[in-house]
Amino acid sequence: VVITSLGLEVRNQQSRRVLIHWAQYFGIVLSLWLSTAGYSSRFDNDDVVHKTFWSLYGVGVLGILMHSTGDLTSTNSNFFALFLSLIYFLLTLQWFRTGIHLPRCRFFCTIQGSIMLVYSLLALVASTAYYYPIQRRDNVFWVLCLGYPIEIFVTLLIQELGMVFMYPHLDYEDARKEVDLPLHIQFHIDRFKTLSMMVLGQLASAIAWHPEQGFGSVEGLYASAGCGFISLVCLKIFIFDVDFLDTHDHAIRRSRCSGLTWLLLYPLAMGCLALTGSGVALLIAEAGKINSVPAGSPHFRQLLTCESLSVFLII
């Protein structure tokens, strides 16, 4: 829903500035989701603590949704950062709690909990940045936008140092088992599939974007909507139905290098897919002469759709 809200802002303003804002907020939200998936794929339970955690997490997500639009000078930006700080703090508590109760996981949980705590503090700083030059909030938001790649590299670096200084007597593979923490790979892969389907829903919402507000061309509306539907079906088949490798041969399972590469490219691919949906919505609005759509630039709409889809297919 947050991604849809950001997409509507792109459709309404159609400018380079709003695309930069979209990329920043999309990266922040996706990094948060990926960090959360990393926790839930390792630890999840039906106990009271986890039920409380997920309930409070939902409150934070609703807060992010309520304040996901507007530029950095708006009040929305303050509260967006505040709710983001709350969610990262909840993840911090969960990681540290797990590390306390499971000594075998303590090293890895301490790394993850510390990273989540840093992100929580950064978001808290961003929420109060109206006391300082707005550039400070912008810089913090870009760090949080790249939060997931930073988390991966920092974790790998500390793990390597831990193997060298804490387990010098073990060979590499045995030492890595001591500092790493396995996750439920099939569950993790399924989370990514679910997110891919939700982002693909951007195309579905684009096809039926407010035609009830009036349109000037029936032929253009339904011809472009038909093309959008064909694109939606083709992408769905391409992403979910033409895998020639079993999930047991997924990049995450093959090797550490292939898994790392896949995890770093995935957010970029999802961003391109979401932007394709916004571009298709604009093209349908242009072809159908929908009254509520700002004039914008046909060149912007075409580039947004074609270049986003092109980069997604390359990835």
Side-chain angles (χ1 to χ4, degrees):
V1 179
V2 173
I3 295 172
T4 300
S5 178
L6 293 173
L8 285 173
E9 197 169 29
V10 171
R11 300 172 201 175
N12 289 331
Q13 299 187 32
Q14 303 176 45
S15 65
R16 180 176 176 272
R17 181 187 61 82
V18 78
L19 274 182
I20 294 175
H21 175 267
W22 182 94
Q24 191 178 62
Y25 273 55
F26 180 85
I28 290 173
V29 172
L30 195 60
S31 287
L32 174 63
W33 186 92
L34 291 168
S35 295
T36 305
Y39 174 83
S40 64
S41 297
R42 291 181 171 91
F43 307 105
D44 202 2
N45 208 316
D46 290 330
D47 60 7
V48 174
V49 173
H50 275 90
K51 287 185 181 297
T52 304
F53 164 68
W54 289 118
S55 298
L56 294 175
Y57 188 98
V59 172
V61 170
L62 285 175
I64 285 178
L65 172 60
M66 292 169 61
H67 304 287
S68 60
T69 56
D71 57 31
L72 294 181
T73 60
S74 68
T75 307
N76 268 349
S77 182
N78 298 334
F79 285 95
F80 177 88
L82 184 62
F83 281 105
L84 183 68
S85 176
L86 169 64
I87 296 176
Y88 272 122
F89 184 68
L90 292 173
L91 285 170
T92 299
L93 295 179
Q94 287 301 105
W95 278 113
F96 284 150
R97 171 181 174 269
T98 304
I100 291 172
H101 291 285
L102 299 175
R104 167 65 181 79
C105 309
R106 190 163 294 163
F107 182 82
F108 187 87
C109 289
T110 301
I111 297 173
Q112 292 298 307
S114 300
I115 294 173
M116 296 301 105
L117 180 59
V118 170
Y119 289 167
S120 177
L121 293 175
L122 284 174
L124 186 61
V125 168
S127 71
T128 58
Y130 58 85
Y131 293 117
Y132 309 100
I134 200 64
Q135 185 62 36
R136 174 172 298 186
R137 180 182 298 161
D138 187 51
N139 293 337
V140 171
F141 271 18
W142 280 117
V143 172
L144 294 171
C145 171
L146 299 173
Y148 187 65
I150 293 173
E151 175 190 338
I152 289 177
F153 285 117
V154 169
T155 300
L156 289 175
L157 176 61
I158 297 177
Q159 284 179 324
E160 293 295 328
L161 293 175
M163 287 188 287
V164 171
F165 293 104
M166 297 175 61
Y167 303 99
H169 56 287
L170 298 178
D171 60 42
Y172 183 83
E173 286 302 322
D174 289 337
R176 189 164 72 86
K177 291 177 182 178
E178 293 296 326
V179 299
D180 205 353
L181 191 62
L183 53 74
H184 193 302
I185 295 180
Q186 188 58 55
F187 179 85
H188 204 52
I189 294 172
D190 289 341
R191 296 309 93 206
F192 286 113
K193 288 183 177 180
T194 301
L195 180 63
S196 300
M197 181 59 78
M198 289 191 292
V199 174
L200 195 58
Q202 287 283 297
L203 266 174
S205 62
I207 295 173
W209 183 37
H210 304 316
E212 73 279 0
Q213 295 188 18
F215 52 88
S217 172
V218 177
E219 297 83 0
L221 178 68
Y222 282 98
S224 57
C227 292
F229 179 76
I230 292 172
S231 300
L232 171 65
V233 173
C234 289
L235 282 171
K236 187 269 177 186
I237 294 173
F238 176 73
I239 296 172
F240 294 100
D241 301 330
V242 296
D243 291 340
F244 57 89
L245 292 175
D246 190 84
T247 54
H248 293 289
D249 296 316
H250 193 281
I252 295 179
R253 291 182 182 271
R254 264 181 256 153
S255 69
R256 204 176 193 189
C257 182
S258 65
L260 176 63
T261 303
W262 191 88
L263 289 172
L264 291 176
L265 288 176
Y266 180 83
L268 180 59
M270 290 300 99
C272 291
L273 190 59
L275 282 177
T276 299
S278 295
V280 169
L282 288 172
L283 292 177
I284 292 175
E286 180 182 351
K289 299 180 182 178
I290 295 178
N291 299 334
S292 61
V293 181
S297 164
H299 184 64
F300 173 87
R301 302 173 184 189
Q302 293 167 8
L303 283 180
L304 179 65
T305 306
C306 297
E307 292 187 2
S308 299
L309 182 58
S310 175
V311 174
F312 171 77
L313 293 175
I314 290 172
I315 293 174

